[in-house]
Short mmCIF file of all heavy atoms in Angstrom, two decimals:
data_model
loop_
_atom_site.label_atom_id
_atom_site.label_comp_id
_atom_site.label_asym_id
_atom_site.label_seq_id
_atom_site.Cartn_x
_atom_site.Cartn_y
_atom_site.Cartn_z
N VAL H 365 92.96 231.98 117.10
CA VAL H 365 93.05 232.85 118.22
C VAL H 365 93.79 234.15 117.91
O VAL H 365 93.48 235.24 118.38
CB VAL H 365 93.73 232.13 119.40
CG1 VAL H 365 93.94 233.06 120.59
CG2 VAL H 365 92.89 230.96 119.83
N GLU H 366 94.82 234.05 117.02
CA GLU H 366 95.58 235.23 116.63
C GLU H 366 94.65 236.25 115.92
O GLU H 366 94.86 237.45 116.14
CB GLU H 366 96.72 234.80 115.69
CG GLU H 366 97.80 234.01 116.38
CD GLU H 366 98.47 234.72 117.54
OE1 GLU H 366 98.74 235.95 117.42
OE2 GLU H 366 98.60 234.10 118.60
N LYS H 367 93.72 235.75 115.16
CA LYS H 367 92.82 236.66 114.47
C LYS H 367 91.74 237.25 115.41
O LYS H 367 91.06 238.21 115.10
CB LYS H 367 92.16 235.97 113.28
CG LYS H 367 93.12 235.51 112.17
CD LYS H 367 92.37 234.82 111.06
CE LYS H 367 93.33 234.25 110.06
NZ LYS H 367 94.20 235.25 109.40
N LEU H 368 91.58 236.60 116.56
CA LEU H 368 90.53 237.00 117.48
C LEU H 368 91.07 237.92 118.57
O LEU H 368 90.31 238.48 119.38
CB LEU H 368 89.88 235.78 118.16
CG LEU H 368 89.19 234.77 117.19
CD1 LEU H 368 88.73 233.54 117.98
CD2 LEU H 368 87.97 235.44 116.58
N ARG H 369 92.38 238.09 118.63
CA ARG H 369 92.99 238.88 119.73
C ARG H 369 92.52 240.33 119.80
O ARG H 369 92.44 240.93 120.95
CB ARG H 369 94.51 238.89 119.60
CG ARG H 369 95.15 237.54 119.98
CD ARG H 369 96.63 237.63 120.02
NE ARG H 369 97.24 236.31 120.30
CZ ARG H 369 97.33 235.78 121.49
NH1 ARG H 369 96.88 236.43 122.55
NH2 ARG H 369 97.87 234.61 121.66
N THR H 370 92.13 240.92 118.70
CA THR H 370 91.75 242.35 118.72
C THR H 370 90.25 242.49 118.85
O THR H 370 89.75 243.63 118.89
CB THR H 370 92.21 243.05 117.41
OG1 THR H 370 91.66 242.34 116.24
CG2 THR H 370 93.73 243.03 117.31
N VAL H 371 89.48 241.38 118.91
CA VAL H 371 88.03 241.48 119.12
C VAL H 371 87.78 241.82 120.59
O VAL H 371 88.35 241.23 121.52
CB VAL H 371 87.38 240.13 118.77
CG1 VAL H 371 85.87 240.19 119.11
CG2 VAL H 371 87.57 239.83 117.30
N ILE H 372 86.91 242.85 120.81
CA ILE H 372 86.64 243.37 122.12
C ILE H 372 85.30 242.90 122.58
O ILE H 372 84.26 243.08 121.87
CB ILE H 372 86.73 244.86 122.20
CG1 ILE H 372 88.13 245.38 121.70
CG2 ILE H 372 86.48 245.39 123.62
CD1 ILE H 372 89.27 244.89 122.55
N LYS H 377 89.72 242.14 125.59
CA LYS H 377 90.05 241.35 124.41
C LYS H 377 89.49 239.95 124.56
O LYS H 377 89.42 239.44 125.70
CB LYS H 377 91.58 241.27 124.26
CG LYS H 377 92.25 242.58 123.84
CD LYS H 377 93.73 242.45 123.58
CE LYS H 377 94.30 243.73 123.05
NZ LYS H 377 95.75 243.57 122.78
N LEU H 378 89.05 239.37 123.40
CA LEU H 378 88.35 238.13 123.46
C LEU H 378 89.14 237.00 124.11
O LEU H 378 88.62 236.22 124.94
CB LEU H 378 87.94 237.69 122.09
CG LEU H 378 87.03 236.47 121.92
CD1 LEU H 378 85.75 236.68 122.70
CD2 LEU H 378 86.75 236.15 120.48
N ASN H 379 90.49 236.99 123.88
CA ASN H 379 91.26 235.93 124.50
C ASN H 379 91.34 236.05 126.01
O ASN H 379 91.45 235.08 126.73
CB ASN H 379 92.68 235.89 123.86
CG ASN H 379 93.45 237.17 124.04
OD1 ASN H 379 92.83 238.24 123.92
ND2 ASN H 379 94.73 237.07 124.35
N ASN H 402 86.76 243.61 111.54
CA ASN H 402 87.22 242.69 112.69
C ASN H 402 86.25 242.80 113.86
O ASN H 402 86.66 242.50 115.00
CB ASN H 402 88.63 242.99 113.11
CG ASN H 402 89.35 241.70 113.50
OD1 ASN H 402 89.26 240.71 112.75
ND2 ASN H 402 90.04 241.72 114.64
#
Side-chain angles (χ1 to χ4, degrees):
V365 175
E366 293 301 316
K367 297 181 185 300
L368 299 173
R369 285 188 184 279
T370 57
V371 175
I372 304 298
K377 288 186 177 182
L378 187 58
N379 59 320
N402 216 46

